[in-house]
Amino acid sequence: MGSENVETQFDTQAVEIHNGVLTVTATIEVRYEMPNQDADLPQHLEAHIETAGQQIKRELFRESIQRADLELVLEQRFRKQEGRLHRNGSKVYTFKTIFGTVAVPRIRLRQSVNGKSLLPSADAWQTPQQVFLTQGLRDAVCDGLLNQTTSQTLESIEERAGETDLIARSSILKIVHQEGAALQQATEARATKIWEKNPAAASIFQVKVPHLSIVPDLEEITEDAPDEELEELDFPIGFAGSPTVVEAIKRDQPRQVDAGWVMVQPDEVKVKAQATTGRKEIWHYTAVVMTSLKSWYFSAETSAKLWFQVGGLLALLGVHRGDLQLMVLGDGAKWIRNWFEALPIDNKAMILCWYHLAKRCKQELGSACHDEAHRLSIQGKLLTQLWTGKIQEAVDSLSALRGQMRNEDALDTLINYLDNRRPYLPNYSKRSRAGLWIASNRVEKFNDWSVAARCKHKGMKWTAQGVAALASLEALSRNGELEVWRKTRTLPDWKLEPFEEAA
C-alpha cells in the first residue's frame, strides 16, 4: 500500500502580508486508501499522512514564494517606475527543497524604454539562472555525508522528500565542497578580526597569510607521518604491574586543564587521495584548545592556516601578555616544534605525548633489533627509563647497544629522536600520579570524529576539499556553532568566561 494512493487538494482562499506576517488561508482535502484492520494499519496510515504532509508543504512553499514575489514587485522602488515598467507575464522557476521539487511562476516585468525584461525576484533573492537548491536541502546533504556515503546520502534525501531524482549524485559533493570552502573562509575571517585588533599579538605569534598553502616537506613526511589507530599498539608501558598504553591514555580522558593554563593539542591526519589530485595522501591539520572551562575544535588544510586560527584564540585569551600560561601537548612533529620554539614568550611549555613516544620507540627498535624477542628484551627497560624521566640514562643504554643490533642506523635514528625532543620529555610517572596530562587523546579523538571514522574506510579515496569540508563541519558541530552558522551564514565571536578574559 504505497504513497502513490495519496491525493491532496490545496485550495487557496487568500495569501496576505500584514505587519511583516505572511498568512496563507486555504482549504485542504486529503484522500488515501483505508488500510486493512490489522497490525499494519498504524504504519500504513503514518506513511500516507507523511506523503500528504510533503505535498502540502510544497503547496505552502509555492504560495508563499508567489506572494513574496508579488510583494517585491509592489515595493516602492518599482512603484516609482510604474510609468516605465509593465507586467510581462511570468516565468516558471524551479526550487529544490527538503520536501521535494517546487515549480513557481515568477513575475516578469518589461521596460517601456528599451523592452528589456526584468525578474525582480531573481535580482533580490540572488537565485541561479536554472535551479535553486534551498539551504535546508544543502544542510541535509551535509548532515548526511558526515555519516554516510554519497549514495546513502542521496537515498535518504530522496526518501525524506518523497521524490526520486531530486538532485544529482554529483551535486552532493559540490554542495559539501562549497559549504566547506565557505566555512574555512568564515573561520579565517573571524581570526582576522582578532589579529586586526591585536597587531602586537600578530607579531608575537608570527601570523602568516591565511591563504598560504604549505605542503609538508620530505623530512616531515618521513619523520613524523600521522599515526594509525591507538588500539594497534596496546603494549605494556614497560614495568611490572604498569597499565598498557591504551589504558593510560583512557585514564587521561576525564582530566581537565588547570586554572591559569590553556592547553593546545595539535595533530595531523592523513587519508588516501584520489588519483585526480596527483597526490598519494591528503594531509589535514587539527587542534583542540582547552581551558579549565571550555574546549574549542579547529580544522585546516595546512599547518599555517591552523596556527592562524589557533593563534587568534590564544591572542584573545591573552597568552602573549601572560594572562594564561601555554601548554602544548602533541606528537612532537616538526611543524609543531617549529611553531612552539619560535614563540617569543616565557610562559610556555610543551610535552611529547606518551603514546606517540612509546610507539616511536617500538617502531625504531623493531627495525634495529634482530627479532621480536630481542626487541622486547630492550623495549621494557627503555620505556621504564622514559616513563620515569631518566632520559640520559635511556640514551646511554641505547648507545651501549651498538654492535649488538641488526640495523644500527635505526638505532641512531631513535637516539637522535630522543635527543631532539629531550626538552619535551617529562617524568611521565609523576605527571600520571598527579593526575596531569600525558597524552594528546583529545585531539586524537577529534581526528576520529572528524576524519578517520568517515574517510578511512577500505577503498575510500578523497580530495583535499572533501576532507576539509567534513572536518570543518564536525569542528563547527563540536563548537556548538552549527545552528548559528546555518541561520546567519556567519560565525559568532568567541565568548570567554569572565576569569579568562584579558584584564
Side-chain angles (χ1 to χ4, degrees), residues 85-86 88 108-111 114-120:
L85 291 173
H86 305 279
N88 188 30
R108 183 164 53 186
L109 301 176
R110 180 174 55 83
Q111 291 182 336
N114 54 22
K116 183 179 178 180
S117 293
L118 300 174
L119 277 171

Side-chain angles (χ1 to χ4, degrees), residues 439-479:
S440 54
N441 55 313
R442 292 289 176 87
V443 72
E444 292 288 347
K445 191 62 179 177
F446 178 53
N447 285 344
D448 289 341
W449 292 330
S450 60
V451 179
R454 180 63 186 86
C455 304
K456 299 188 79 168
H457 296 293
K458 185 176 180 180
M460 282 191 171
K461 295 184 178 180
W462 294 81
T463 63
Q465 297 96 320
V467 175
L470 295 182
S472 296
L473 283 165
E474 186 64 37
L476 194 69
S477 177
R478 296 287 167 183
N479 289 329

Side-chain angles (χ1 to χ4, degrees), residues 382 384-395 425-427:
L382 174 64
T384 300
Q385 291 168 332
L386 295 176
W387 177 251
T388 53
K390 299 174 182 178
I391 311 306
Q392 188 59 51
E393 184 178 311
V395 171
L425 304 179
N427 187 319

Side-chain angles (χ1 to χ4, degrees), residues 407-419:
N407 184 345
E408 291 194 0
D409 288 341
L411 178 67
D412 289 336
T413 297
L414 178 56
I415 293 173
N416 290 334
Y417 173 85
L418 296 175
D419 271 334

Side-chain angles (χ1 to χ4, degrees), residues 23-40:
T23 303
V24 180
T25 304
T27 299
I28 301 173
E29 183 177 298
V30 181
R31 296 179 181 178
Y32 39 81
E33 184 178 346
M34 179 63 184
N36 296 329
Q37 294 282 359
D38 54 26
D40 293 330

Side-chain angles (χ1 to χ4, degrees), residues 161-173:
E163 177 184 336
T164 59
D165 300 324
L166 179 61
I167 55 175
R169 187 177 184 277
S170 59
S171 296
I172 290 179
L173 296 177

Side-chain angles (χ1 to χ4, degrees), residues 175-309:
I175 289 170
V176 173
H177 289 177
Q178 290 170 355
E179 188 75 352
L183 264 177
Q184 292 168 66
Q185 185 178 6
T187 56
E188 291 176 4
R190 177 165 59 184
T192 299
K193 288 170 58 178
I194 296 174
W195 296 125
E196 290 175 346
K197 294 179 180 179
N198 298 273
S203 61
I204 290 176
F205 286 102
Q206 302 182 33
V207 173
K208 298 181 180 180
V209 179
H211 297 288
L212 179 64
S213 178
I214 296 180
V215 177
D217 57 34
L218 183 60
E219 182 180 2
E220 280 189 281
I221 296 176
T222 302
E223 181 187 19
D224 299 309
D227 300 292
E228 302 302 325
E229 286 71 15
L230 184 65
E231 287 72 19
E232 292 185 4
L233 284 171
D234 193 3
F235 54 89
I237 281 176
F239 47 91
S242 69
T244 65
V245 172
V246 173
E247 290 170 342
I249 293 180
K250 284 182 177 178
R251 292 178 185 179
D252 218 10
Q253 182 67 28
R255 292 174 179 168
Q256 300 298 319
V257 178
D258 290 338
W261 285 82
V262 56
M263 177 177 288
V264 179
Q265 293 188 10
D267 202 7
E268 68 285 313
V269 62
K270 67 178 180 179
V271 299
K272 292 182 179 180
Q274 291 183 6
T276 55
T277 65
R279 300 158 63 179
K280 291 184 178 180
E281 297 172 340
I282 300 296
W283 281 48
H284 196 77
Y285 296 81
T286 58
V288 179
V289 178
M290 297 175 287
T291 66
S292 59
L293 298 178
K294 188 175 176 63
S295 297
W296 294 265
Y297 296 86
F298 295 87
S299 166
E301 291 181 282
T302 67
S303 58
K305 291 184 178 182
L306 183 72
W307 293 133
F308 187 82
Q309 298 176 40

